[in-house]
Amino acid sequence: MIKLDQIALPIKYTEKDIENAVIKTLKIKKENLQNFEILKLSIDARKKPNVKYVASVGVTLKNNLENKFQKFKYEKFSKKLEYKKINNNKKIVVVGFGPSGMFASLTLARMGFKVIVVEQGKPVDEREKDVLNFWQNRKLNKYSNVQFGEGGAGTFSDGKLNTNLNNDYCKMVTNEFYNFGAPKEITYLNKPHIGSDNLKNIVKNIRNHIISLGGEFLFSTKLKDIKIKSNQLDGIILQNVETAEIKELSTEQLVLCVGHSARETFEMLYNKGVEIKQKPFAMGVRIEQKQSEINLSQYGVESVDGLPNADYKLVAHLPNGRSVFSFCMCPGGEVVASSSNEGEIVTNGMSNFSRDKENANSAVLVNITPEDYNSDNPLAGIYYQAKYEKLAYELGGKNFNAPAESVGSFLKNKDIKTNINFTYKPNLTFCKIEKCLPEIVAESLKLGLPELNKKLKNFAKDENLLVAIESRSSCPLTIVRDENFESNIKGIYPVGEGAGYAGGIMSSAQDGIKVAEAIYKKEIN
Ligand SMILES: Cc1cc2nc3c(=O)[nH]c(=O)nc-3n(C[C@H](O)[C@H](O)[C@H](O)COP(=O)(O)OP(=O)(O)OC[C@H]3O[C@@H](n4cnc5c(N)ncnc54)[C@H](O)[C@@H]3O)c2cc1C
């Protein structure tokens, strides 16, 4: 195959457009063309409003003509999550079925391990009912919600696969998501996203595949405790969160993929002597804007048929030493209530694959350091989060309404109304949101929002909306592990975002694969 880069394509490009561009670039006859496919596609809005796509195209030619284009030669990526099976059917427990637990389980099952997946939440279809019941009727199920359940925190999300990583694992994870049902576009879009609507089915397909490889799933089952003998894991205690029934499982290997919101589990591990240390994270609010105004700033037009709604990524470094940055931007999406505990407000964002809703939203975060926790307790970060989530709950009216305010009212302390048709459910309570924010966060947002607005017009217009509180951007602690991915208690493998080694779907999935490979290496050596 040969690869052609920088191929310009119109927004509503056709196969014919690609074919013509290939023939023109290679100066060949059409009959010499065997096949072509898009390998990479990104939006070029440098000359707005004349927005276009720029593509890398893979081409195969007839009659070995490719030999004439040696400098374009290209080896298509083909590595897969395939391993020589170990035949001992060894039992291994994976706790948590978010992206890290999903890919750890999938990889271990393909390696020949007998995987037992323990997930405190429900299978995704039942989970969705609980999430809608919370959004519509304010009834929170503490084990089945936006954070917890089959698929983990990322299921009710935009499913962005953005990452700063660029390695073979990224490609393998993307291809696996595609194999399990994600749209083809994720394999070549510069900024791929799966969409919440697709994620639910993909998660089920991965579950069924693991079962077909001999895996077993225990839903609504929580890791309640661990048993240790001379610094080695010896067994685990599980509890069914619906019946409260207790079950003991003897195992020497536990892959811990519990996510950033598993506070009770962190406390249990810490009390059992698992080494944990504080870690920085970020906290702030979610901002909601009119998508058409963001498009206008990014593309020079409010909308163009075929052009996806625009995204943005902004950061400002402040004189007070903090940074304010946009995070987890959801074009054409919604602000979602993401609490996992009674009495606490947590916001986040989601979009379906089409990203076609009226508003854009993103988190606007300020970096928080362990010094801000004012405590040496390794768990101080989760208590810091909980403190402000509780304040937000009280400020909202103690009914899961989220505190909200227009940008203008927040920055200028004037009675400026928002013109945003807000999406957060169950509802908002308009008030002074700084009452539920750490002082340093409120101060930094006041300094940073105008700076970000200079970088992107319409980002922080007075009428735009701020919804509090965005407190679970990543995990404020690390469960310490060694080069073999093992904790100080042998047999326990801390993985993913909850262990402090990942942030987001892609890096969490990768961490799951890497830990499975470390366990496999130990097994075969
Ligand atoms: C609304 C929302 C939108 C997001 N959007 C994106 C996005 O677009 N792109 C992106 O990259 N990231 C996004 N994220 C972040 C992403 O979801 C997380 O980074 C990722 O899910 C972390 O994966 P994980 O497997 O480490 O943990 P999680 O996905 O958090 O999964 C942990 C699982 O462990 C289970 N668990 C916890 N404790 C126990 C226990 N004791 N016993 C049994 N089970 C337990 C939980 O129920 C949960 O299902 C979003 C997050 C949210 C909440």
Side-chain angles (χ1 to χ4, degrees):
M1 178 181 270
I2 56 179
K3 178 160 82 93
L4 304 177
D5 292 325
Q6 297 301 314
I7 299 289
L9 294 170
I11 291 302
K12 294 197 84 176
Y13 66 87
T14 62
E15 292 286 297
K16 196 79 194 141
D17 292 315
I18 306 172
E19 185 183 278
N20 293 343
V22 168
I23 290 168
K24 190 164 161 241
T25 309
L26 294 174
K27 299 187 182 65
I28 57 166
K29 292 198 180 74
K30 180 168 184 262
E31 48 273 21
N32 291 327
L33 193 52
Q34 178 87 47
N35 196 359
F36 57 82
E37 63 175 296
I38 292 203
L39 298 172
K40 203 87 199 139
L41 189 72
S42 50
I43 291 174
D44 179 357
R46 287 170 294 171
K47 298 200 180 88
K48 46 185 172 227
N50 177 17
V51 182
K52 61 179 191 301
Y53 279 119
V54 175
S56 295
V57 180
V59 181
T60 48
L61 300 175
K62 294 177 182 161
N63 315 324
N64 298 325
L65 268 175
E66 287 165 31
N67 297 337
K68 273 181 59 183
F69 302 97
Q70 284 301 332
K71 69 178 174 150
F72 297 134
K73 271 276 179 200
Y74 172 75
E75 190 68 37
K76 196 164 177 216
F77 181 81
S78 58
K79 227 170 134 189
K80 292 198 172 104
L81 290 178
E82 286 170 351
Y83 306 85
K84 189 166 173 302
K85 267 197 187 281
I86 54 168
N87 291 317
N88 61 8
N89 215 19
K90 187 168 184 183
K91 194 171 59 178
I92 188 160
V93 178
V94 176
V95 175
F97 200 61
S100 65
M102 266 195 286
F103 278 82
S105 309
L106 176 67
T107 313
L108 289 162
R110 288 196 177 147
M111 291 163 168
F113 287 93
K114 160 85 181 145
V115 178
I116 299 173
V117 177
V118 174
E119 168 54 61
Q120 65 185 356
K122 296 181 188 171
V124 69
D125 293 338
E126 291 161 64
R127 181 188 177 191
E128 185 171 25
K129 295 187 190 117
D130 292 327
V131 169
L132 293 176
N133 192 25
F134 174 50
W135 290 345
Q136 289 153 7
N137 310 317
R138 305 167 192 273
K139 296 245 176 330
L140 178 70
N141 180 322
K142 71 174 284 186
Y143 292 116
S144 180
N145 50 60
V146 169
Q147 306 288 349
F148 299 153
E150 182 175 29
T155 308
F156 297 89
S157 84
D158 186 19
K160 284 180 288 297
L161 298 180
N162 305 9
T163 173
N164 301 330
L165 305 165
N166 183 8
N167 56 32
D168 287 356
Y169 287 106
C170 288
K171 296 189 183 103
M172 290 195 283
V173 169
T174 304
N175 289 341
E176 288 291 349
F177 274 128
Y178 171 57
N179 297 338
F180 284 109
K184 172 84 177 151
E185 286 92 327
I186 72 162
T187 62
Y188 59 74
L189 279 176
N190 184 33
K191 295 179 191 167
H193 74 284
I194 299 176
S196 191
D197 41 350
N198 293 314
L199 273 165
K200 292 161 206 154
N201 299 323
I202 293 166
V203 164
K204 273 189 276 185
N205 294 341
I206 295 178
R207 180 228 297 172
N208 293 332
H209 179 68
I210 292 167
I211 290 172
S212 73
L213 296 170
E216 189 188 329
F217 281 75
L218 302 174
F219 285 112
S220 299
T221 305
K222 175 186 166 108
L223 172 72
K224 188 167 176 51
D225 204 347
I226 54 174
K227 295 177 68 179
I228 302 167
K229 216 185 257 168
S230 20
N231 213 41
Q232 160 68 51
L233 181 75
D234 184 46
I236 57 176
I237 310 293
L238 304 178
Q239 181 174 40
N240 182 300
V241 297
E242 281 157 11
T243 64
E245 183 209 342
I246 295 284
K247 185 176 168 179
E248 189 165 329
L249 220 60
S250 68
T251 179
E252 293 182 348
Q253 288 179 307
L254 173 66
V255 182
L256 210 54
C257 309
V258 294
H260 58 31
S261 297
R263 296 176 178 170
E264 292 165 2
T265 310
F266 296 144
E267 288 176 335
M268 178 272 285
L269 295 167
Y270 180 59
N271 296 334
K272 283 284 169 148
V274 174
E275 191 185 351
I276 293 179
K277 62 182 185 185
Q278 297 183 342
K279 178 177 137 323
F281 79 116
M283 190 183 259
V285 293
R286 197 142 275 254
I287 191 166
E288 198 163 22
Q289 304 118 336
K290 288 187 185 305
Q291 182 66 55
S292 57
E293 292 178 354
I294 298 299
N295 291 349
L296 194 57
S297 304
Q298 295 288 49
Y299 296 151
V301 284
E302 289 201 355
S303 72
V304 176
D305 190 16
L307 186 61
N309 278 325
D311 65 2
Y312 54 70
K313 191 173 182 179
L314 305 168
V315 60
H317 303 292
L318 306 173
N320 67 1
R322 302 283 169 148
S323 298
V324 170
F325 56 99
S326 66
F327 180 77
C328 189
M329 194 267 172
C330 298
E334 299 167 68
V335 179
V336 289
S338 306
S339 306
S340 57
N341 286 320
E342 279 300 334
E344 294 173 357
I345 291 285
V346 179
T347 61
N348 211 305
M350 76 172 242
S351 307
N352 283 331
F353 184 67
S354 57
R355 287 176 160 180
D356 56 0
K357 297 230 162 60
E358 174 190 347
N359 296 342
N361 73 73
S362 75
V364 189
L365 303 178
V366 176
N367 59 307
I368 300 290
T369 65
E371 288 69 42
D372 294 317
Y373 306 156
N374 285 327
S375 157
D376 296 337
N377 179 336
L379 304 184
I382 59 173
Y383 302 135
Y384 182 89
Q385 288 174 324
K387 172 183 171 188
Y388 293 100
E389 292 167 3
K390 287 183 171 53
L391 281 175
Y393 182 79
E394 282 151 25
L395 193 58
K398 298 183 179 176
N399 59 3
F400 287 113
N401 273 21
E405 189 172 12
S406 73
V407 171
S409 165
F410 178 72
L411 293 179
K412 302 171 182 166
N413 210 9
K414 283 191 191 146
D415 180 17
I416 299 171
K417 296 273 179 294
T418 182
N419 64 358
I420 300 292
N421 297 324
F422 64 81
T423 52
Y424 178 96
K425 293 186 227 43
N427 207 337
L428 298 178
T429 299
F430 286 87
C431 55
K432 295 308 293 173
I433 60 171
E434 62 191 275
K435 291 182 183 157
C436 69
L437 298 173
E439 210 176 308
I440 188 63
V441 170
E443 175 198 309
S444 302
L445 288 174
K446 290 192 173 177
L447 289 170
L449 283 166
E451 293 305 313
L452 298 181
N453 201 47
K454 285 184 199 149
K455 295 179 188 252
L456 180 66
K457 193 164 172 278
N458 299 326
F459 174 82
K461 279 177 66 166
D462 281 353
E463 299 77 12
N464 288 348
L465 180 65
L466 302 175
V467 183
I469 184 167
E470 189 91 7
S471 55
R472 313 249 181 117
S473 57
S474 73
C475 197
L477 56 82
T478 298
I479 305 176
V480 178
R481 69 185 186 189
D482 62 17
E483 66 287 355
N484 303 316
F485 298 85
E486 233 169 336
S487 76
N488 60 316
I489 307 296
K490 295 301 158 214
I492 296 181
Y493 296 86
V495 187
E497 186 162 56
Y501 299 99
I505 295 169
M506 180 57 84
S507 59
S508 302
Q510 290 196 18
D511 205 44
I513 298 169
K514 289 177 186 165
V515 169
E517 290 180 343
I519 293 170
Y520 179 74
K521 211 163 118 215
K522 205 171 162 188
E523 193 66 31
I524 58 175
N525 292 339

